[in-house]
Amino acid sequence: MSHGRVWSPVITPFSADLSPDTERFVAHCRWLLDKELGLAVFGTNSEANSLAVEEKIRLLDTLIDAGVPAARLMPGTGSCALPDTVAQTRHAVAKGVEGVLMLPPFYYKGVSDEGLFRYFSEVIERVGDERLRIYLYHIPPVSQVPLSLALIERLLKAYPANVVGLKDSSGDWSNTQAVIEQFAGDGFQVYAGSESFLLQTLRAGGAGCISATANVNPGPIARLAKTWQAADADDQQAALVRTRKIFERFPLIGALKAVTARFGDSEQWTRLRPPLVELDQQQRGELFALLDDLGFDMPGLKQS
């Protein structure tokens, strides 16, 4: 692989009535595309599980109608209810997306690999489309439903043309490394869930990262993905980690939206759907001061 790929789980702007702000959403997606990122819309940091199925379908249609290339999209389609996952996945595949990022059903905990295999199998069979490309989404700190190596292996054997990759948001490098070592040799694409692991992932044979902070720091992350074999790659990685650690000191979605509001010059961006809430003034002040010390910027973001 000559260079890695970076995807952003795009944050979702809301209007005063808490409906998705489609105009602002499209504009942010275009800004990210200009930074050479792919769009993993409806991810964790998109507040995807606070959005209705119909809203996500409508937003995906809006992006594609606005000229966003379907090949640059990897929408999240995993839901607790099997029919919801099938409906979102079928729609996304019909639109020609690069692939779908699929959570396991996450409400019931302690479920078996057999149950998870049946779930993914039912989705694949019901969608029934050879164009379906699933990137499994392993995020046990949030979902509490991990995807084991044995489950991945079983899915790959049963559906090698449909199960094509995994996002590892475990935060555990040893797990990411194990997935790469076991499966990447056959073309399975492994993405780190944070740019903090980007260089390690690429050096080990992974595909890149799908990272929340790519919403706000896309240029430097994309640069490392492209130039990871350059002499300054370790320095680039260290700089990315410094920025990421600042964001991780605060509730992450609120922090992403606060910073986007600041550099996009629009307080509209600060809104979250309940139960999530925006950063308070003290948190915002601390976050902005820390980023200012780094010389952080979001060039070209301001739309008007």
Side-chain angles (χ1 to χ4, degrees):
M1 180 180 293
S2 59
H3 62 82
R5 299 182 73 185
V6 178
W7 298 79
S8 174
V10 184
I11 51 177
T12 306
F14 294 109
S15 302
D17 65 356
L18 296 181
S19 63
D21 183 337
T22 54
E23 184 177 346
R24 209 172 297 280
F25 184 60
V26 170
H28 192 61
C29 285
R30 284 178 171 151
W31 181 72
L32 292 168
L33 288 174
D34 287 344
K35 305 294 184 183
E36 301 184 56
L37 267 62
L39 306 175
V41 293
F42 320 138
T44 299
N45 290 282
S46 314
E47 300 172 72
N49 288 296
S50 298
L51 293 167
V53 172
E54 296 79 12
E55 289 178 313
K56 287 180 272 194
I57 286 175
R58 197 178 317 121
L59 284 171
L60 189 65
D61 286 344
T62 297
L63 284 180
I64 292 173
D65 290 346
V68 171
R72 302 279 294 276
L73 290 164
M74 188 195 292
T77 63
S79 300
C80 287
L82 179 66
D84 287 350
T85 301
V86 171
Q88 293 173 88
T89 302
R90 184 180 287 142
H91 172 262
V93 171
K95 289 291 180 178
V97 299
E98 152 67 19
V100 296
L101 186 60
M102 195 174 292
L103 282 167
F106 50 82
Y107 179 77
Y108 296 106
K109 315 308 181 193
V111 294
S112 64
D113 276 6
E114 175 64 26
L116 292 173
F117 177 82
R118 292 184 191 182
Y119 175 88
F120 288 113
S121 176
E122 285 288 344
V123 172
I124 293 166
E125 297 290 349
R126 293 184 189 204
V127 171
D129 194 316
E130 63 183 13
R131 297 172 295 175
L132 172 60
R133 291 164 53 86
I134 294 173
Y135 294 83
L136 302 169
Y137 189 2
H138 176 66
I139 183 168
V142 177
S143 70
Q144 299 294 302
V145 179
L147 305 177
S148 69
L149 294 175
L151 173 64
I152 298 167
E153 183 176 26
R154 186 176 174 191
L155 286 167
L156 279 172
K157 285 182 177 176
Y159 302 103
N162 303 116
V163 179
V164 300
L166 176 134
K167 176 187 180 184
D168 187 358
S169 291
S170 65
D172 176 5
W173 167 248
S174 64
N175 186 76
T176 310
Q177 187 174 32
V179 177
I180 292 171
E181 289 176 354
Q182 191 159 336
F183 305 115
D186 297 323
F188 190 73
Q189 297 176 49
V190 181
Y191 288 95
S194 164
E195 73 274 20
S196 295
F197 299 103
L198 178 56
L199 188 56
Q200 283 174 288
T201 298
L202 292 171
R203 285 175 172 168
C209 70
I210 304 173
S211 172
T213 31
N215 273 286
V216 293
N217 198 29
I221 299 173
R223 178 173 180 262
L224 177 58
K226 186 181 291 188
T227 65
W228 65 276
Q229 293 172 302
D232 68 343
D234 288 289
D235 291 338
Q236 288 187 60
Q237 180 65 74
L240 295 182
V241 170
R242 283 193 293 273
T243 302
R244 175 80 184 203
K245 283 182 183 276
I246 290 174
F247 280 92
E248 289 178 346
R249 292 171 63 168
F250 302 88
L252 187 53
I253 304 174
L256 296 173
K257 286 192 161 182
V259 170
T260 304
R262 185 192 193 198
F263 287 97
D265 197 22
S266 173
E267 283 298 298
Q268 304 284 344
W269 266 111
T270 58
R271 291 192 189 96
L272 286 79
R273 265 196 183 168
L276 302 181
V277 297
E278 70 279 2
L279 299 192
D280 62 32
Q281 287 302 318
Q282 181 177 340
Q283 289 173 316
R284 288 176 69 168
E286 292 175 5
L287 172 59
F288 297 165
L290 290 165
L291 290 174
D292 287 347
D293 285 345
L294 285 186
F296 179 87
D297 195 8
M298 294 176 69
L301 180 67
K302 187 174 177 181
Q303 302 300 322
S304 60

